Amino acid sequence: MKISKIMKITGIGNYFPKKILTNNDLEKMIDTSDEWITTRTGIKQRRIAAEDESTSAMAAKAARKAIKGAGLKPSDIELIMVATITPDMNFPSTACLVQAEIKAFNAASLDIGAACSGYVYGLSIARAYIASGVYKNILLIGAEKLTSITDWTDRNTCVLFGDGAGACVLQPGYTNSGIQSILLGSDGRKGGLLYIPAGGSKMPSNQQTVNEHLHFIKMKGSELFKVAVTKMTEAAVGALEMCGMTPDDIDMLVPHQANIRIIRAVGKKLKLSDERVYTNIEHYGNMSSASIATALNEAVIKGRIRKGNIAVLTAFGGGLTWGACVIKW
Ligand code: ACO
């Protein structure tokens, strides 16, 4: 059996729910303004999943497109991974629910819990399986229904998040294009900066946790801001160094879409012009693990990343976790 050390993205697919919530809509719900949200975050609107539209349903829609794009059938998929912090339920895993939905019955299935860095963590897991020859056809999805864990009475957080899903199929490559390097990191000591207090084994749900809004995202935004800029920059530089490159080699940076000011600060540190930094935060807000997934796919679909280009993904999120990936397209 020929084992390839190079992994390629051979199919991509995005899905966004239809409903759009604009900043002007939010002005009618909480004490905020389009001007504040736009200047402080870069977000103009976000998509909101329908009440009966779960994370797995969105993931399955993105997955079908990616599998078709790769020229495969669902039955060819050997491993399904879903990066998400908004699983349909604690178990079964969202990946198992996607498997049933798309009828990929030959696949093993698992979820990845690395918050906004989940998609980059997923690429790294897939790469290990492909480099060891264990699997050849892997489906990776970043999918989130963040609006289901958003406190719509908290203006500090509710303006930030949106729903969506991005997927790709990963296969061995036999040329030098594909994933060149991946660097991951985490700091569990700072987990309290971004978390959901209740609903897990530490603080099971009860009437009090519901009354106190403890099932929603709690975030220390300004403290996270500084760590995000530092870690996303360091991760990108580190991943480039791993394959003998520097930020000068970047054709397109695809950063996690938490805040346009974070994105610009990272771009500035890497000395990249705005044209070399891809954003979709203005249309979709922060979709956690689905942000990098959908942004990368969009950049490829729009021709902003072309054959031979060097794309660098750099992610940061709850955990804290971070990670970067260098791809020769
Ligand atoms: N509308 C109007 N005013 C607001 C709003 C709002 N929606 N939200 C907050 N404010 C006010 C605050 O009350 C505060 O007022 P005060 O000075 O009178 O107290 C003022 O605006 C400034 O608040 P800050 O929190 O200091 O604002 P900041 O400039 O830091 O922006 C933000 C907040 C957007 C959250 C920013 O800190 C951020 O993006 N942080 C990083 C987030 C991040 O990286 N998260 C990790 C990834 S996400 C994930 O893993 C799911």
Side-chain angles (χ1 to χ4, degrees):
M1 181 175 66
K2 193 173 174 198
I3 296 177
S4 166
K5 297 280 173 208
I6 280 275
M7 177 175 83
K8 286 184 84 159
I9 295 176
T10 56
I12 54 174
N14 280 350
Y15 172 78
F16 301 104
K18 282 199 178 60
K19 186 174 169 192
I20 292 173
L21 186 76
T22 65
N23 292 348
N24 298 121
D25 296 330
L26 279 166
E27 284 176 345
K28 292 172 202 136
M29 296 162 58
I30 46 162
D31 179 16
T32 192
S33 65
D34 174 41
E35 200 266 332
W36 192 95
I37 303 171
T38 307
T39 54
R40 305 309 291 165
T41 74
I43 302 165
K44 293 299 282 183
Q45 61 177 52
R46 65 288 290 144
R47 298 295 180 100
I48 311 280
E51 223 164 282
D52 61 353
E53 191 172 37
S54 65
T55 296
S56 71
M58 293 189 282
K61 286 184 175 138
R64 282 199 190 94
K65 289 187 200 168
I67 294 169
K68 198 172 169 209
L72 298 180
K73 300 185 294 297
S75 57
D76 296 322
I77 300 296
E78 297 159 295
L79 174 68
I80 300 171
M81 292 190 284
V82 178
T84 188
I85 53 167
T86 46
D88 285 24
M89 50 192 100
N90 272 345
F91 72 91
S93 70
T94 302
C96 276
L97 301 173
V98 171
Q99 185 214 36
E101 177 67 28
I102 66 172
K103 302 186 172 53
F105 300 124
N106 296 319
S109 306
L110 65 93
D111 284 359
I112 299 166
C116 306
S117 313
Y119 201 70
V120 177
Y121 269 64
L123 288 172
S124 136
I125 298 167
R127 190 167 178 242
Y129 276 124
I130 283 177
S132 59
V134 173
Y135 296 125
K136 282 200 173 115
N137 300 320
I138 298 177
L139 174 66
L140 172 65
I141 312 162
E144 302 287 3
K145 186 173 176 177
L146 285 190
T147 59
S148 68
I149 53 169
T150 297
D151 184 347
W152 293 102
T153 64
D154 175 12
R155 72 173 182 170
N156 290 296
T157 53
C158 77
V159 301
L160 303 173
F161 304 120
D163 304 330
C168 70
V169 168
L170 298 155
Q171 295 183 297
Y174 299 100
T175 63
N176 70 350
S177 63
I179 310 302
Q180 306 294 307
S181 66
I182 304 180
L183 182 152
L184 304 178
S186 67
D187 186 353
R189 292 167 298 185
K190 297 199 174 85
L193 295 180
L194 178 60
Y195 74 127
I196 296 180
S201 59
K202 188 170 180 182
M203 197 189 291
S205 319
N206 58 38
Q207 193 55 52
Q208 194 184 343
T209 63
V210 173
N211 293 347
E212 292 176 4
H213 292 205
L214 298 181
H215 298 273
F216 297 126
I217 300 175
K218 308 288 174 201
M219 185 169 93
K220 297 205 171 92
S222 52
E223 285 168 62
L224 279 170
F225 196 104
K226 292 172 216 132
V227 195
V229 174
T230 308
K231 290 302 174 189
M232 284 167 72
T233 308
E234 282 177 5
V237 171
L240 284 160
E241 273 171 10
M242 285 166 85
C243 50
M245 295 189 207
T246 72
D248 284 349
D249 295 303
I250 300 175
D251 291 302
M252 188 60 72
L253 182 76
V254 183
H256 175 50
Q257 310 280 311
N259 186 316
I260 196 71
R261 292 182 292 135
I262 294 177
I263 294 172
R264 289 210 181 109
V266 173
K268 199 169 162 198
K269 279 179 178 276
L270 297 175
K271 298 192 172 58
L272 299 174
S273 61
D274 286 353
E275 300 76 58
R276 288 161 72 197
V277 181
Y278 194 82
T279 62
N280 68 0
I281 188 172
E282 52 276 39
H283 305 296
Y284 304 114
N286 178 352
M287 296 177 288
S288 190
S289 67
S291 275
I292 277 202
T294 57
L296 173 65
N297 293 348
E298 233 179 46
V300 172
I301 292 163
K302 290 184 175 168
R304 299 275 305 277
I305 297 173
R306 295 197 200 90
K307 197 170 159 44
N309 281 173
I310 297 296
V312 174
L313 317 180
T314 188
F316 173 81
L320 302 178
T321 59
W322 55 87
C325 171
V326 179
I327 308 172
K328 183 169 181 195
W329 204 260

